[in-house]
Amino acid sequence: MMRLSLRFIIPLALALGGIAYGVVPLVDELTLKWFVHDLDIRAKLVATAAQEPLVEMLTDKSRDKVRLEHIQAYFDRMLQDERLYAIGFCDNAGKLVYKTATLPAGIGCGYPGPGVEDRGIVVKLHGGPLHVVTTPILENGSRLGDMIIVHDMSFVERRSADTRKYIVYLFAALGGLIALITVVIAELSFRGWMAGIKTLIRGQSLALSPQPKARELRPIARDLEALVHDLDNERRARDEAQITWTPDALRTILREDLKGDEILIVSNREPYIHERREGRIEVRRPASGLVTALEPVMRACSGTWIAHGSGNADRDVVDASDSVAVPPEKPAYRIRRVWLTKEEEAGYYYGFANEGIWPLCHIAHTRPVFRASDWECYREVNRRFARAVESESRTDDPIVLVQDYHFALLPRMIRERLPRATIITFWHIPWPNPEAFGVCPWRDELLEGLLGSSILGFHTQFHCNNFFDTVDRYLEARVDRETFTISYGGEPTEVHRYPISIEWPPTALAQQAPVAECRERVRREFGIPPETRLGVGVDRLDYTKGILERFAAVERLLERDPEWVGRFSFIQVAAPSRSSIEEYQLLDARVRSAAQRINQRFGTPSCQPIVLAIEHYDGAQVYELYRAADLCFVSSLHDGMNLVAKEFVAARDDERGALILSQFTGAARELPEALIVNPYDTEECAEALRQALAMPPDEQRSRMRRMRSLVQEFNVYRWAGRMLLDAARVRQRRHLSRRAGTAGAPRIIGLRRA
Ligand code: G6P
């Protein structure tokens, strides 16, 4: 600032000083004219005043000598006026007859010449200017002679020199002042620009940061912001497309983009459950899309997975810090188990999470139940997990991947304990519209909790948009749909779409027998004749999965096309789930009875239309089923993504089989080559079954090929990798802002309810 000011102020002051010098001669000339004019008038006054006494003295009849003395004395008295320099008198013959001693030799009669009487001229004599006026002395109209009046003009020079000096000073001071004001204004607006540009370079929304101060900057800022955003997206898409998404790619991101930063995952369901059966401890993999997706990621990044220890032998295998290394056959990461009492599990997991939020977010027409006691448990358990995250993190800025609806409050709780953490929350289930979500008595608290995240992910843009709408409706937050960011109480939350997927190639596929063998083995195992066409459904036994609707479609097919009776069988594997909840018990009963009724109606001695296996199948068994089937039917009434659809596609390396897929799954947006159906429309679903069974091998192949290449390309490593790259970007930006001194640790501010 100082240097800039000096560089600007001094030259401007000098320039104006210079201008002043140019102006001075003009001013000099002007003032000289005024002074001469003044002296003309003054000389006239002097002459008029002297007229009468002088005439009297000149016409005095006394002797010449006396007259001379009188006039001389009179002239000397007149000279007491400090401006009068000399006086003289010439007779009509042009002879200088009287004069003061001061009259210069060069000034005499006839000076300054005819025609300039009464008008002064300026002469420079003896080094100083003199003003000389010759004026006639008249007696009754006849001329007695001329009086020479000489004024000293040296005062004019003195004044002129002073004026010149003050003018230069004035101009220089004016120049300095103007320059100073200009520099201050320039500096202020420069700072505004710099702040705006810095904000943009950091990649933050200008709309989020304090408004650019300079009004004129705002339109440019908006354009720049849009440009940076587009470039960011483009770069993201390009970077992403260039990577072959494998566990190694994830490891590279962790090593290079995240510099080996610490990673913690938090989910309710643990990836390995230890259970005691007949005196032996067995390890079970749960039926959970979330676990299926995250387990390969965790194997790649060797972090810590914090989860509820729900197995009855879980406590028997942990170390002193409640941790166990997994996978059991080749340990790659740690599970840190959090223990819950039966009451806590009932209130937090069965109650608030699964009787409240689950039906709230799935439009499956099951009413959510909200109990205050469940809410209390939910809050307390979230707090417990926040403490676990804090105690597990070795650094103050870990990357924490919070999973699903069991932990809506956790992000903000972690943020309060570890303000520098990068918190990525992924919501694995749909997010409903604001009206549907608004019935929750604690909707604001859930939203506030989630907005403690640095990044919040959903499977589809539709769910992101619903979330924006919900926040917009219920909280006083800044929602920027252009940059996908919400600002509420501290660090902004980016909301993005990350469609989850499966590992590619799937581990479970590696041990699979050829398709023909699988077909044969499965048919044998289920007592289905070898030529029977086979459909499969693999789900948790959950009312959102549309299992009853699926059975209704099978029934309708057999009704409408009896040729399939005895020739088509549908195996439904339904893993028991959340069976303490009444809705799930009712569903269990309904599913069993529907299967029984259809089998009674259309079963033949050798072929049951519905084969129901309400039990847990492991990955290898499920993949064998997929490979044995002619079609897979996913009829969810509402589903965030649905990984069964992607698994079926991944299992069919023979490029055969048809997929029927509910339009209400996230997967339907990625797999349009499936036969897309509305599960509520029984006719349409029956028709899709017919079409799938009749689909020529070529069509199966071309549809399957396209779906396989999509799942291969958009696999789970890409899902996780995109989130980690975004986490790296968020961390890098924060790091840069901290270095630039524009950001400290994110603020935690008081939150207000809308
Ligand atoms: C869904 C949820 C997961 C959950 C899974 C199994 O996929 O999004 O969070 O783990 O269902 O449900 P469960 O209640 O058995 O964990």
Side-chain angles (χ1 to χ4, degrees), residues 363 430 463 635-641 661-669 676-681:
I363 303 166
H463 298 150
S635 54
S636 305
L637 305 180
H638 204 188
D639 217 329
M641 174 53 71
L661 182 57
S662 158
Q663 65 186 86
F664 304 122
T665 59
R669 285 155 213 256
I676 305 292
V677 294
N678 172 357
Y680 291 93
D681 186 341

Side-chain angles (χ1 to χ4, degrees), residues 410-458:
L410 186 58
R412 189 160 296 282
M413 291 174 174
I414 297 174
R415 170 76 57 232
E416 279 159 9
R417 285 158 197 271
L418 297 167
R420 285 160 49 91
T422 305
I423 304 166
I424 307 180
T425 304
F426 194 79
W427 195 259
H428 289 258
I429 63 175
W431 190 276
N433 63 45
E435 286 74 25
F437 187 78
V439 304
C440 173
W442 297 283
R443 65 182 185 210
D444 294 359
E445 286 84 343
L446 295 178
L447 293 173
E448 285 172 359
L450 285 170
L451 291 175
S453 317
S454 319
I455 297 174
L456 174 60
F458 295 95

Side-chain angles (χ1 to χ4, degrees), residues 214-267:
R215 189 180 290 274
E216 73 278 10
L217 185 68
R218 287 181 197 160
I220 302 171
R222 270 197 295 278
D223 288 353
L224 270 176
E225 191 181 335
L227 188 70
V228 168
H229 188 67
D230 288 352
L231 286 175
D232 211 23
N233 281 347
E234 218 174 87
R235 183 192 50 74
R236 209 170 114 167
R238 199 182 47 238
D239 289 356
E240 231 186 275
Q242 278 169 3
I243 297 174
T244 308
W245 291 96
T246 60
D248 268 346
L250 270 193
R251 278 190 278 268
T252 308
I253 290 175
L254 290 164
R255 195 177 54 243
E256 289 176 6
D257 295 77
L258 288 166
K259 315 271 181 294
D261 289 341
E262 189 184 5
I263 303 229
L264 300 166
I265 289 186
V266 188
S267 75

Side-chain angles (χ1 to χ4, degrees), residues 120-283:
I121 60 150
V122 179
V123 286
K124 285 223 169 195
L125 287 172
H126 308 299
L130 297 172
H131 176 267
V132 184
V133 167
T134 301
T135 179
I137 301 296
L138 305 171
E139 191 206 12
N140 300 327
S142 67
R143 189 181 190 132
L144 297 180
D146 292 314
M147 186 175 177
I148 303 168
I149 304 168
V150 181
H151 272 99
D152 178 8
M153 281 187 76
S154 60
F155 78 97
V156 174
E157 264 207 336
R158 277 200 308 279
R159 279 194 186 171
S160 186
D162 284 351
T163 312
R164 201 178 305 131
K165 196 168 71 196
Y166 290 131
I167 285 178
V168 172
Y169 287 168
L170 179 76
F171 269 74
L174 214 62
L177 190 70
I178 293 170
L180 195 70
I181 292 170
T182 315
V183 166
V184 169
I185 291 170
E187 174 68 17
L188 287 179
S189 76
F190 179 71
R191 278 190 195 172
W193 277 77
M194 285 314 287
I197 284 162
K198 265 189 206 160
T199 313
L200 283 167
I201 289 170
R202 283 200 302 276
Q204 272 174 10
S205 162
L206 281 169
L208 289 179
S209 56
Q211 280 283 314
K213 286 188 192 86
R215 189 180 290 274
E216 73 278 10
L217 185 68
R218 287 181 197 160
I220 302 171
R222 270 197 295 278
D223 288 353
L224 270 176
E225 191 181 335
L227 188 70
V228 168
H229 188 67
D230 288 352
L231 286 175
D232 211 23
N233 281 347
E234 218 174 87
R235 183 192 50 74
R236 209 170 114 167
R238 199 182 47 238
D239 289 356
E240 231 186 275
Q242 278 169 3
I243 297 174
T244 308
W245 291 96
T246 60
D248 268 346
L250 270 193
R251 278 190 278 268
T252 308
I253 290 175
L254 290 164
R255 195 177 54 243
E256 289 176 6
D257 295 77
L258 288 166
K259 315 271 181 294
D261 289 341
E262 189 184 5
I263 303 229
L264 300 166
I265 289 186
V266 188
S267 75
N268 171 71
R269 187 60 67 202
E270 52 183 346
Y272 293 90
I273 305 175
H274 289 85
E275 271 171 351
R276 191 174 295 278
R277 270 197 209 130
E278 295 155 10
R280 275 196 11 228
I281 292 179
E282 288 177 6
V283 182

Side-chain angles (χ1 to χ4, degrees), residues 314-325 334-336 339:
D314 274 358
R315 286 177 196 262
D316 301 338
V317 296
V318 294
D319 61 17
S321 56
D322 294 331
S323 300
V324 59
R334 260 176 6 112
I335 300 179
R336 153 77 198 275
W339 313 115

